[in-house]
Amino acid sequence: METWGISVEGVDEVIRTLNQKLGKTRRDRISREAINYAAEEAEKDLKEVTTNFQRTGRATEQTTHSKARKIGGEIFQSKVGWGEGSRWRLEHLNEFGYTRWGKTYVPRGFGKLRQYAEAQQAPFTKHMVEKMKELAE
């Protein structure tokens, strides 16, 4: 299964095994809690990354994550980002740079969020698996 760049192998087998052992309702609760835990950890890491290039500190303050929700039937999803408002637009400019009147600007945060996203694949999966094992026992 692959969603938004984080790829997890063998999910179908794990879901089948969890359904047999725990039942669908308990499996869903455990999955939601594990994803929420992993999202909290990812949010902490994102706050740490944004402190490296902050000017006013609002990017760090407004960093948040959503609770796990079901999308497309069986898959839970949680989003880590910048809540309400237009902060994500500024972070997009900060991430990719911008051109104004023919001059290209490369901000201090250029490429930092992409590095964060690529580095989060292993820890996110690890946190999720740890929490699922803890809750399933």
Side-chain angles (χ1 to χ4, degrees):
M1 174 179 78
E2 184 173 326
T3 57
W4 290 84
I6 296 180
S7 175
V8 182
E9 302 285 324
V11 171
D12 295 332
E13 294 174 29
V14 172
I15 289 174
R16 253 185 264 116
T17 305
L18 285 173
N19 274 341
Q20 290 171 354
K21 285 186 177 182
L22 307 173
K24 187 178 183 324
T25 306
R26 186 156 181 237
R27 182 212 60 191
D28 285 351
R29 182 183 58 79
I30 288 171
S31 297
R32 269 194 316 273
E33 288 182 26
I35 290 172
N36 286 337
Y37 173 74
E40 287 173 10
E41 296 299 316
E43 179 186 341
K44 289 176 190 173
D45 292 344
L46 180 59
K47 284 183 178 184
E48 189 176 306
V49 167
T50 58
T51 58
N52 294 333
F53 57 85
Q54 71 181 1
R55 195 177 317 160
T56 63
R58 287 182 49 205
T60 305
E61 290 171 11
Q62 292 180 356
T63 302
T64 186
H65 72 280
S66 67
K67 298 293 180 187
R69 293 180 291 198
K70 254 189 189 180
I71 57 162
E74 291 291 317
I75 300 171
F76 285 97
Q77 169 185 314
S78 180
K79 296 180 181 181
V80 178
W82 287 275
E84 297 291 322
S86 62
R87 173 60 50 186
W88 67 271
R89 290 181 182 96
L90 295 173
E91 294 308 321
H92 180 81
L93 293 173
N94 200 16
E95 171 62 15
F96 299 111
Y98 56 94
T99 303
R100 178 187 271 172
W101 297 305
K103 184 175 182 205
T104 302
Y105 293 89
V106 180
R108 287 182 292 182
F110 186 79
K112 300 289 186 195
L113 298 177
R114 181 167 309 278
Q115 290 172 355
Y116 159 79
E118 291 171 0
Q120 275 301 306
Q121 292 180 10
F124 189 86
T125 305
K126 185 182 123 211
H127 290 308
M128 209 168 66
V129 168
E130 285 175 2
K131 193 65 171 181
M132 286 183 87
K133 284 180 181 177
E134 176 187 319
L135 293 170
E137 293 175 350

